[in-house]
């Protein structure tokens, strides 16, 4: 029996007595013993700060603090902040400072401590205080503004009332799901701990490539007091994948592993046993094999195939060809050639994967962090050999995803254990496990050339790239197909040829990460276009304006473009561009060792699947009691779909937003809204919600025999429809109730009108595109090679801005991830599997970000709206790289632009 120690403390103002083991972390005691799950755990190493609590007013990492150190002291968690920092919590909501919400408790407690010792902090004070708490969503701008607001040192937004009928779209309202994020009630994947649950761990491969055999697993399990599950226990097809036709990843490996960190066995037992379990003596014998870790080696003649039938280890290739590129190059006045290489990039969401599975009768229920509940359900049904109606997926709150949580992770392991044992099964990935075993941004090796005429107009472009898709397919097919469509940038190029390949290696699977390969292609394309502008002696912004797509132009896929907003985005940068160039020139005249530079880059991005069906369905109903409910199945990772989609629906129905109640994602309760990825939810699910609102409105107007201008309201048991002085009542009690419990209901779907691409990549790959352009201002230390981004102006065309505050937050967060891609982030398997070796931007790394919201309505978007999530990241890195070159002459061809690479490029530029 483990020895325990009794401690007494004051917790959130109340006296508490607690028995803890001497080595038990304070975070474990708070969460596991006291049920205060508002304190989050992102790393268990003090790297992320999500677990920050106050001890005697000082912020500490609860994951590093032994619980016994709380003896006799006052401890405050986020659940207790309302008594001392209620206005700080309100400020977070006013400013939209909480997106996914996983870092919010740590931010709030840290900020509360700052304000107690320094009631009037400067911005620099706030940045310094928050430097130990990481956020992957927000870019920190709104967090800092909220803290300054609470201190009376910054702007306080005017109060925004809940909008009335027809006034929701465009309103700068707080998140409808915001309150639980700031008071500690939000429940993420690790926050549900059923009584009597088995805890699950995975045995993972230590090698990139190996064969293995298992020994007497049963005897080992009996000796340890655990249960072990292997591939032999999986009752269905032991393969999964986000694209069913390419599914190639086993739930548990069978005799062979293709990547380091691949799961070989699931081990389940009591919590104390699993936490103390050593796996060094697990009966497995490894035969390590040569690993293919670069795409060139994987494509070499005679290289072993990771998957039968995929010759040259090529999963798939994509191509777009239009016009006559060679003729275009032959007539060009200037031709630029370039290359670029990018690294694996880790999603680095602050919430590691976590979830619980249990049986409800004969139905397997899985509650976990996921971006794609219906896709999870379908994959799990195949793995378990069950019909789809015997698997239910309930997404927890999601502490960041950015694409990686589209793929299954722990679901097969907890699902298998629960299905086989009949007991709840819980699993929480460690930070190292999360980073070692989940998907990454595709490393890319790319070459391109482009030609212009004497007036600087683009004539031709050719692009070729190998994208490392790792050991398994994941989203490799999507990347290979999407990149050639987008590698042109948002420009008119009459002669074009682009190819991209997804190539298998023994690296981690590369999946979706905010852009599906487009950010990598944009890095090469936009830096190449700077070359062309310099060759032609044309201002770099003017070069882009001169070649930008316009309404009626044809894209490189032959699609007629409508609602094109890149021109207005570039126009919006003209004044900041002129100012920045003048300031850089003046700065550089005064400074020798540090030089300032200015860069610009553009983007476009098609919203949703590429030339494939992409539907979403919304259900809207009125109960017999007169309650209005929207079944909204689009998972919200912090991007705001829980707010934006209701705003659209409310205006379509013509009622105040306050009338709505919501049923969130749950495969048993909500229709399929599709995955949250590819900047699709505002457009696709937004259109479905718009259609549902219009359909229910039409039904109510028909029942009441009222005209289109009628007003709709609700009373207990009735709907009131009024027009002018006339008022009619629809009694709900007398209407038949449908299978979902509604007296009146509609269900509407929307699928974007796209066309499959032909053999030359011609067609209509997307119905709606979004556009953006970024202007970066940087300072480069010529002796050290360090780069500091001092300002980034980001103009984005949203078609129609549904919620300005949430749109700004998406831009700021995208800029932060783009800055990391440009300057610091490089995942090296086996070496950077934590958040102190793998660096992401902190509050102190971020520049001033100036969002500019442009509205060029799209004829297909709801109220003209377009997507934004991916677009906000894409131009950031190339604009920074172009600014580095402007400042120092350094042309960066391998990312990230670490100081030694910048110095090498400076030396090369100087000859």
């Amino acid at each position: 029996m483990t020895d325990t120690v009794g401690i007494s403390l004051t917790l959130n103002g109340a006296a508490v007595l607690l028995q803890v083991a001497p080595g038990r972390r304070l975070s474990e005691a708070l969460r596991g013993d006291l049920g205060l799950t508002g304190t989050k755990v992102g790393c268990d190493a003090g790297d992320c700060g999500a677990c920050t609590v106050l001890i005697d007013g000082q912020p500490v990492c609860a994951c590093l603090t032994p619980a016994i150190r709380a003896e006799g002291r006052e401890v405050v968690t986020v659940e207790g902040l309302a008594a001392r920092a209620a206005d700080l919590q309100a400020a977070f909501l006013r400013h939209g400072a909480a997106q996914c919400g996983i870092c919010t408790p740590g931010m709030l407690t840290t900020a509360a401590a700052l304000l107690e010792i320094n009631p009037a902090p400067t911005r620099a004070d706030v940045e310094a205080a928050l430097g130990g708490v990481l956020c992957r969503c927000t870019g920190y701008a709104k967090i800092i503004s909220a803290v300054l607001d609470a201190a009376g040192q910054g702007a306080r937004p005017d109060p925004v009332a809940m909008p009335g009928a027809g006034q929701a779209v465009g309103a700068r309202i707080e998140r409808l799901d915001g309150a639980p994020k700031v008071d500690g009630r939000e429940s993420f994947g690790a926050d549900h701990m059923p009584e009597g649950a088995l805890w699950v761990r995975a045995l993972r491969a230590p090698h990139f490539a190996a064969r293995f055999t298992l020994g007497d697993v049963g005897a080992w399990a009996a000796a340890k007091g655990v249960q072990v599950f292997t591939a032999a226990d999986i009752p269905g097809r032991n393969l999964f994948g986000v694209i069913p036709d390419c599914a190639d990843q086993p739930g548990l490996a069978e005799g062979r592993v293709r990547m380091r960190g691949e799961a070989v066995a699931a081990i389940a037992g009591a919590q104390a046993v699993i936490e103390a379990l050593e796996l060094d003596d697990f009966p497995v014998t490894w035969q390590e094999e040569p690993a293919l870790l670069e795409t060139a080696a994987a494509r070499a003649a005679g290289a072993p195939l990771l998957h039968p039938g995929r010759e040259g280890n090529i999963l798939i290739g994509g191509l777009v060809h239009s016009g006559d590129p060679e003729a275009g190059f032959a007539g060009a006045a200037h031709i630029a050639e370039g290359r670029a290489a990018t690294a694996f990039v880790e999603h680095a969401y602050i919430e590691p994967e976590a979830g619980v599975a249990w049986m409800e009768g004969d139905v397997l229920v899985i509650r976990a962090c996921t971006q794609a509940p219906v896709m999870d359900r379908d994959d799990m049904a195949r793995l378990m050999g069950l019909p789809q109606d015997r698997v239910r997926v309930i997404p927890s709150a999601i502490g960041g995803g950015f694409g990686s949580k589209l793929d299954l992770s722990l679901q097969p392991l907890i699902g298998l254990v629960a299905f086989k044992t009949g007991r709840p099964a819980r699993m929480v990935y460690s930070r190292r496990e999360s980073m070692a075993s989940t998907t990454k941004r595709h490393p890319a090796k790319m070459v391109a050339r482009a030609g212009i005429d004497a007036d600087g107009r683009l004539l031709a472009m050719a692009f070729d790239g190998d994208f490392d898709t790792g050991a398994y397919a994941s989203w490799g097919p999507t990347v290979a197909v999407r990149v050639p469509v987008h590698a042109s940038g948002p420009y008119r190029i009459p002669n074009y040829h682009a190819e991209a390949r997804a190539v298998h290696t023994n690296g981690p699977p590369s999946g979706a990460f905010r852009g599906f390969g487009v950010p990598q292609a944009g890095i090469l394309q936009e830096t190449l276009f700077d070359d062309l502008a310099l060759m032609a002696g044309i201002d770099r912004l003017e070069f882009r304006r001169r070649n930008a797509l316009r309404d009626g132009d044809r894209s490189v896929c032959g699609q007629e473009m409508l609602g094109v907003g890149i021109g207005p985005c570039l126009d919006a940068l003209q004044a900041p561009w002129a100012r920045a160039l003048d300031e850089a020139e003046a700065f550089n005249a005064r400074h020798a060792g540090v030089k300032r530079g200015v860069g610009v880059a553009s983007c476009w991005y098609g919203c949703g699947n590429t030339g494939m069906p992409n539907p979403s369905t919304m259900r809207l109903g009125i109960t017999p009691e007169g309650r209005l409910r929207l079944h909204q199945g689009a998972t919200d990772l912090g991007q705001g779909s829980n707010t934006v989609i209701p705003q659209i629906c409310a205006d379509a129905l013509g009622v105040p937003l306050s009338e709505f109640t919501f049923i969130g994602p749950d495969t048993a309760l909500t229709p399929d809204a599709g995955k949250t990825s590819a900047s699709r939810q505002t457009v696709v699910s937004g259109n479905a919600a718009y259609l549902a609102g219009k359909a229910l409105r039409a039904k109510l107007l028909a029942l009441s025999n009222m005209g289109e201008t009628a007003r709709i309201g609700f009373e207990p048991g009735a709907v009131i429809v009024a027009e002018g002085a006339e008022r009619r009542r629809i009694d709900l009690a007398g209407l038949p109730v449908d299978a979902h419990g509604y007296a009146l209901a509609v269900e509407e779907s929307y699928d974007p009108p796209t066309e499959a691409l032909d053999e030359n990549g011609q067609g209509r790959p997307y119905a709606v595109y979004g556009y953006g352009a970024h202007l970066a201002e940087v300072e480069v230390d010529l002796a050290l090679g360090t780069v500091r981004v001092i300002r980034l102006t980001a103009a984005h065309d949203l078609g129609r801005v549904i919620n300005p505050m949430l749109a700004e937050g998406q831009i700021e967060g995208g800029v932060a991830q783009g800055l990391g891609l440009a300057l610091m982030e490089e995942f090296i398997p086996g070496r950077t599997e934590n958040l102190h070796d793998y660096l992401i931007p902190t509050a102190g790394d971020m520049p001033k970000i100036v969002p500019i919201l442009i509205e060029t309505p799209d004829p297909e978007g709801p109220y003209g709206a377009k997507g934004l999530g991916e677009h906000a990241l894409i131009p950031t890195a190339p604009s920074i790289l172009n600014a580095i070159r402007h400042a120092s002459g350094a042309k960066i061809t391998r990312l990230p632009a670490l100081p030694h690479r910048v110095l090498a490029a400076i030396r090369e530029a100087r000859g």
Side-chain angles (χ1 to χ4, degrees):
M1 183 173 181
T2 303
D3 292 332
T4 61
V5 177
I7 62 171
S8 61
L9 64 148
T10 301
L11 178 61
N12 295 331
V16 171
L17 296 174
L18 189 61
Q19 292 288 324
V20 295
R24 190 157 175 79
R25 303 171 192 257
L26 180 57
S27 56
E28 295 169 338
L30 291 171
R31 292 174 53 81
D33 302 336
L34 297 170
L36 295 177
T37 57
T39 299
K40 307 305 179 186
V41 177
C43 66
D44 266 340
D47 295 327
C48 73
C51 66
T52 302
V53 300
L54 304 182
I55 296 183
D56 293 340
Q58 296 298 310
V60 302
C61 286
C63 76
L64 294 183
T65 305
I68 57 174
R69 289 194 182 172
E71 164 67 32
R73 305 175 77 178
E74 181 188 22
V75 177
V76 177
T77 70
V78 67
E79 290 92 343
L81 276 186
R84 57 203 298 166
D87 192 52
L88 178 62
Q89 292 171 309
F92 267 56
L93 296 177
R94 285 194 295 272
H95 287 266
Q99 288 193 20
C100 81
I102 193 72
C103 76
T104 303
M107 290 288 184
L108 284 166
T109 51
T110 303
L114 169 68
L115 297 183
E116 288 193 4
I117 62 172
N118 182 0
T122 64
R123 176 173 290 271
D125 293 333
V126 176
E127 290 178 357
L130 298 181
V133 185
L134 297 178
C135 176
R136 194 57 157 165
C137 297
T138 67
Y140 304 98
K142 295 203 178 320
I143 295 173
I144 294 168
S145 295
V147 177
L148 291 171
D149 174 356
Q153 299 299 109
R156 174 166 293 200
D158 294 331
V160 178
M162 191 65 78
Q167 299 175 332
V169 170
R172 194 184 181 88
I173 61 169
E174 297 177 3
R175 291 176 181 273
L176 299 181
D177 58 354
K181 299 178 188 291
V182 302
D183 65 19
R185 289 179 294 128
E186 189 78 292
S187 182
F188 294 88
D191 294 340
H192 185 44
M193 307 176 197
E195 191 72 27
L198 294 169
W199 287 47
V200 181
R201 282 178 64 184
L203 177 76
R204 297 189 179 276
H207 306 295
F208 289 102
R211 306 280 174 171
F212 68 91
T213 54
L214 297 176
D216 192 344
V217 172
W220 183 89
K224 302 289 186 179
V226 297
Q227 298 180 68
V228 176
F229 302 88
T230 67
D233 297 300
I234 293 177
R237 178 175 180 244
N238 187 21
L239 289 175
F240 67 86
V242 290
I243 300 173
D245 288 346
C246 297
D248 58 3
Q249 188 164 356
L252 289 167
E254 297 184 68
R256 179 186 183 186
V257 294
R258 296 175 174 87
M259 57 173 277
R260 186 178 181 278
E262 186 161 356
V264 170
I267 303 157
Q271 176 183 353
V273 174
I274 292 296
E275 287 180 336
L277 189 64
E278 295 291 341
L279 300 180
D280 292 346
D281 60 347
F282 189 90
V284 59
T285 301
W286 298 101
Q287 298 88 40
E288 188 175 1
E289 298 181 336
L292 301 172
L293 299 179
E294 295 287 342
T295 54
R299 291 190 62 191
L305 297 183
L306 271 76
H307 299 275
R310 296 178 182 173
E311 293 304 316
N313 284 307
I314 295 174
L315 168 63
I316 194 172
L319 177 147
V320 172
H321 180 94
S322 58
D324 187 341
E326 289 309 313
F329 283 119
H334 302 283
I335 296 175
E337 298 185 359
R339 58 186 173 84
T342 65
F344 283 116
V345 180
E346 162 66 26
H347 297 75
Y349 29 74
I350 306 304
E351 177 203 31
E353 290 73 7
V356 181
W358 65 90
M359 299 300 298
E360 287 184 359
D362 64 352
V363 175
L364 173 62
V365 182
I366 299 174
R367 180 191 184 273
C369 48
T370 178
Q371 299 178 228
V374 173
M375 289 168 56
D376 283 9
R377 180 201 65 188
D378 295 351
D379 252 347
M380 286 303 301
R382 286 187 284 268
L383 278 162
M384 295 296 106
L386 296 172
Q388 291 177 357
D389 62 4
R390 285 188 56 195
V391 178
R392 177 184 182 185
V393 174
I394 306 170
S396 64
I398 306 161
F402 318 114
S404 187
K405 290 177 183 174
L406 290 163
D407 295 69
L408 292 182
S409 56
L410 48 68
Q411 293 91 331
L413 308 183
I414 58 176
L416 177 62
V417 172
F419 183 70
K420 287 290 188 177
T421 67
R423 295 177 59 185
R426 180 177 184 267
M427 188 175 191
V428 180
Y429 276 11
S430 68
R431 173 57 58 182
R432 181 175 297 278
E433 186 175 26
S434 173
M435 295 180 76
S437 65
T438 61
T439 63
K440 308 288 174 273
R441 183 182 294 284
H442 284 72
K445 289 183 168 61
M446 304 166 290
V447 296
R449 59 179 179 142
I452 55 175
D453 64 18
D455 295 324
R457 301 192 184 278
L458 287 161
L459 294 178
M461 181 177 174
F463 173 96
D464 188 86
D466 280 339
F467 288 75
D468 183 347
T469 206
Y472 296 105
S474 185
W475 291 97
T478 301
V479 168
V481 172
R482 185 179 276 270
V483 164
V485 174
H486 288 83
S488 65
Y491 304 105
R492 295 184 303 278
I493 305 179
N495 305 291
Y496 179 79
H497 184 92
E499 294 188 40
R501 291 163 296 279
V503 182
H504 282 300
T505 68
N506 289 114
S510 296
F513 189 172
R514 211 166 189 172
F516 288 99
V518 177
Q520 296 94 302
I523 286 165
L524 178 53
Q525 171 260 310
E526 284 291 331
T527 54
L528 190 70
F529 283 13
D530 256 27
D531 289 344
L532 289 172
L534 293 170
M535 287 178 175
I538 300 172
D539 175 85
R540 292 171 290 149
L541 176 61
E542 172 56 28
F543 178 85
R544 288 163 171 84
R545 294 179 67 240
R546 190 172 299 183
N547 287 286
L549 286 167
R550 300 186 180 94
D551 271 23
D553 284 343
R554 297 278 176 178
S555 74
V556 292
C557 293
Q559 179 178 358
E560 183 181 6
M561 305 301 293
L562 301 173
V564 179
I566 186 57
C569 289
L570 292 167
D571 292 345
L573 294 184
Q574 285 186 282
W577 177 254
R579 173 201 54 76
L581 289 174
D582 288 345
E583 290 181 1
E585 183 177 7
F587 180 93
N588 292 338
R590 300 191 306 269
H591 297 82
V594 176
K595 295 294 184 179
R596 188 172 289 183
V598 185
V600 65
S602 304
C603 80
W604 65 332
Y605 194 80
C607 302
N609 292 351
T610 307
M612 296 172 60
N614 191 23
S616 175
T617 302
M618 293 283 156
R619 181 184 302 136
L620 188 58
I622 304 171
T623 70
E625 297 76 27
R627 301 287 302 276
L628 177 66
R629 287 188 187 144
L630 175 63
H631 290 245
Q632 198 284 98
T635 53
D636 193 326
L637 321 183
Q639 84 280 12
S641 57
N642 283 345
T643 302
V644 167
I645 290 171
Q647 285 181 266
I648 293 169
C649 190
D651 278 7
L653 179 57
V655 302
L657 189 57
S658 59
E659 295 287 359
F660 280 79
T661 57
F662 305 101
I663 305 293
D666 180 334
T667 59
L669 300 178
T670 49
D672 184 8
K675 63 190 184 298
T676 295
S677 72
S679 302
R680 64 178 292 280
Q681 293 295 14
T682 295
V683 173
V684 182
S685 291
N687 260 325
Y690 173 86
L691 293 172
K694 285 294 187 184
L696 185 57
R697 180 175 179 83
K699 184 175 285 192
L700 293 172
L701 296 182
L703 285 171
S704 60
N705 197 27
M706 288 286 196
E708 185 54 42
T709 61
R711 303 179 304 280
I712 296 171
F714 299 89
E715 292 181 356
V719 179
I720 307 301
V721 185
E723 190 170 22
E726 196 167 0
R727 184 176 185 274
R728 293 180 185 165
R729 176 185 176 92
I730 301 173
D731 287 313
L732 300 169
L735 297 178
V737 176
D738 68 13
H740 302 293
Y742 294 117
L744 292 169
V746 297
E747 194 168 292
E748 293 291 330
S749 297
Y750 172 79
D751 192 3
T754 62
E755 298 172 7
L757 301 181
D758 66 16
E759 67 277 6
N760 286 315
Q762 300 298 291
R764 189 184 186 192
Y766 311 101
V768 176
Y769 296 78
Y771 303 87
H774 288 187
L775 188 164
E777 300 169 59
V778 309
E779 290 178 0
V780 180
D781 188 310
L782 302 181
L784 299 177
T786 55
V787 178
R788 184 170 75 94
V789 184
I790 57 175
R791 183 194 300 260
L792 199 139
T793 305
H796 282 274
D797 169 34
L798 286 76
R800 177 73 184 275
V801 182
I802 306 298
N803 186 312
M805 181 167 67
L806 302 189
E808 291 165 0
Q810 283 293 286
I811 291 171
E812 290 156 356
V815 166
Q817 292 186 358
L819 184 149
L821 170 65
L823 298 181
M824 63 182 69
E825 297 190 41
E826 183 170 15
F827 178 80
I828 303 172
R831 289 175 53 189
T832 59
E833 293 168 353
N834 54 64
L835 292 175
H836 56 264
D837 291 318
Y838 185 88
L839 301 179
I840 67 173
T842 68
D845 294 315
M846 292 305 298
K848 178 178 177 58
I849 302 171
V850 183
I852 301 173
L853 306 182
I854 305 294
E855 293 187 314
T856 304
D858 189 284
E860 193 63 36
Y863 296 103
K866 303 169 183 176
L868 176 63
E870 261 86 355
H871 315 69
L873 180 150
I874 295 167
T876 304
S879 69
I880 292 171
L881 297 181
N882 286 337
I884 292 171
R885 185 181 184 190
H886 181 235
S888 65
K891 188 173 181 181
I892 306 298
T893 58
R894 181 182 174 191
L895 271 69
L898 300 173
H900 70 280
R901 292 173 184 159
V902 174
L903 285 176
I906 290 173
R907 288 193 292 268
E908 184 177 349
R910 291 174 174 175

